[in-house]
Amino acid sequence: MDLDFLVPRPRSLRVLRARFARPTAVRVTAPGKAAAAAAALRRDLRQLAGVRTGARAAFQIRLRLAPRAARPEGYRLVLGPEGAEVTAADAPGLYYGVQTLLQIMVLAEPEALPAVRVRDWPEFRTRSFMIDMGRSVFRVPLLERIVRILARLKMNTLHLHINDDQLCGLRFRKLPLGRENPEAITLTQLRRLVKYARRHHVAILPEFECWGHAQSVIYHYPELYGGPGMWGGMSFGIGEPTFKLFERVFDELLPVLEKHCPVHVGLDEAKW
């Protein structure tokens, strides 16, 4: 059994000879700092694996945080007939170790779960997925679902491409941007999404186009037209009026983001 269903593939995976039936009841224990991870694991075991959770269950899953236990965002997982232990140096690593444990308990043959030893850590610091809010509609429930999927797959960044020639997916308070799109999310909704994503160890990385792909903004500010875009759209003219608009854009956008957060400014595919 090589556990091909594990996504992403752990860096170090040892599948031992022991096999055992999936327990019908599990006891999850964790220190205070890991309480949220333990509560989420209990919920997932019930909902995804059909496993009961309780303080008297013989099969114990221990979650541990130890500063030198693993690399940043890494974890160690030991699973056997008597129980399981996930050890990590930080909260994201503990969360990712729990996801690997869940994949095994949910997707492996329930009458023949394998005993395993896993050591894993990310290959890349940023593991990102981009959605294009400038060309399609993304309502908040869908954005939250995407966050949850990314977290399950141990990805840690959701890149929001906010505007393009076709649409602006974010409605500003003091600017007309986004009003052409009845499904644009509000700044308040973006602030809540940032907090929701952080609880899943996912950062929100917004991108606001500042050269090409500008037609949805020039629709409101035609005096800022500078030339065509590469794909039939529009580009900004470069000068003080455009810079002043960008100042107003970022004055509204930055306060709803995390304190330390990169912001992408596009600067591509202007055809002039």
Side-chain angles (χ1 to χ4, degrees), residues 127-139:
R127 305 174 299 281
S128 181
F129 177 80
M130 187 184 83
I131 62 170
D132 198 345
M133 301 172 69
R135 292 189 178 98
S136 190
V137 169
F138 291 85
R139 298 182 178 91

Side-chain angles (χ1 to χ4, degrees), residues 102-194:
L102 279 170
Q103 288 184 27
I104 295 172
M105 295 194 70
V106 173
L107 299 176
E109 178 61 41
E111 298 305 318
L113 292 187
V116 299
R117 302 290 185 272
V118 177
R119 290 179 63 249
D120 194 19
W121 62 92
E123 177 76 18
F124 302 104
R125 180 177 298 178
T126 299
R127 305 174 299 281
S128 181
F129 177 80
M130 187 184 83
I131 62 170
D132 198 345
M133 301 172 69
R135 292 189 178 98
S136 190
V137 169
F138 291 85
R139 298 182 178 91
V140 171
L142 177 56
L143 293 173
E144 291 178 344
R145 184 183 181 193
I146 292 170
V147 165
R148 295 193 299 271
I149 292 171
L150 294 180
R152 296 283 192 196
L153 297 176
K154 306 183 179 74
M155 299 179 72
N156 67 355
T157 304
L158 176 57
H159 182 149
L160 299 182
H161 185 231
I162 291 174
N163 63 307
D164 210 290
D165 289 311
Q166 291 76 19
L167 293 170
C168 181
L170 179 65
R171 187 174 302 130
F172 289 76
R173 294 192 185 99
K174 300 176 182 179
L175 300 170
L177 307 181
R179 294 179 187 175
E180 78 288 346
N181 177 6
E183 297 295 342
I185 69 171
T186 67
L187 286 162
T188 298
Q189 289 173 318
L190 177 57
R191 183 194 298 273
R192 291 172 180 165
L193 179 67
V194 168

Side-chain angles (χ1 to χ4, degrees), residues 24-270:
T24 58
V26 165
R27 172 166 44 111
V28 180
T29 61
K33 292 184 178 180
L41 175 57
R42 294 185 190 101
R43 182 192 64 238
D44 286 340
L45 286 169
R46 292 191 297 267
Q47 294 180 353
L48 302 178
V51 173
R52 301 191 310 275
T53 59
R56 297 183 178 181
F59 191 94
Q60 181 180 10
I61 298 175
R62 295 179 296 275
L63 307 183
R64 295 179 57 245
L65 284 168
R68 298 182 180 180
R71 302 187 188 194
E73 297 186 275
Y75 64 90
R76 299 199 311 257
L77 166 63
V78 177
L79 172 63
E82 304 301 322
E85 182 173 86
V86 180
T87 306
D90 52 32
L94 193 66
Y95 183 88
Y96 299 146
V98 165
Q99 301 315 306
T100 299
L101 174 62
L102 279 170
Q103 288 184 27
I104 295 172
M105 295 194 70
V106 173
L107 299 176
E109 178 61 41
E111 298 305 318
L113 292 187
V116 299
R117 302 290 185 272
V118 177
R119 290 179 63 249
D120 194 19
W121 62 92
E123 177 76 18
F124 302 104
R125 180 177 298 178
T126 299
R127 305 174 299 281
S128 181
F129 177 80
M130 187 184 83
I131 62 170
D132 198 345
M133 301 172 69
R135 292 189 178 98
S136 190
V137 169
F138 291 85
R139 298 182 178 91
V140 171
L142 177 56
L143 293 173
E144 291 178 344
R145 184 183 181 193
I146 292 170
V147 165
R148 295 193 299 271
I149 292 171
L150 294 180
R152 296 283 192 196
L153 297 176
K154 306 183 179 74
M155 299 179 72
N156 67 355
T157 304
L158 176 57
H159 182 149
L160 299 182
H161 185 231
I162 291 174
N163 63 307
D164 210 290
D165 289 311
Q166 291 76 19
L167 293 170
C168 181
L170 179 65
R171 187 174 302 130
F172 289 76
R173 294 192 185 99
K174 300 176 182 179
L175 300 170
L177 307 181
R179 294 179 187 175
E180 78 288 346
N181 177 6
E183 297 295 342
I185 69 171
T186 67
L187 286 162
T188 298
Q189 289 173 318
L190 177 57
R191 183 194 298 273
R192 291 172 180 165
L193 179 67
V194 168
K195 293 180 179 179
Y196 182 87
R198 178 47 59 200
R199 293 198 296 271
H200 291 79
H201 309 289
V202 174
I204 299 297
L205 191 163
E207 176 182 355
F208 192 90
E209 294 283 359
C210 292
W211 192 11
H213 302 273
Q215 188 167 341
S216 66
V217 177
I218 293 172
Y219 172 82
H220 299 286
Y221 297 94
E223 69 277 12
L224 299 184
Y225 177 76
M230 286 185 65
W231 311 107
M234 297 181 180
S235 303
F236 289 111
I238 302 302
E240 285 302 316
T242 300
F243 299 153
K244 288 180 180 178
L245 175 62
F246 292 157
E247 288 179 1
R248 297 176 67 191
V249 165
F250 292 115
D251 280 347
E252 291 200 45
L253 177 60
L254 296 182
V256 306
L257 305 175
E258 295 185 272
K259 184 177 181 180
H260 300 287
C261 174
V263 177
H264 198 307
V265 293
L267 298 179
D268 64 339
E269 297 185 339

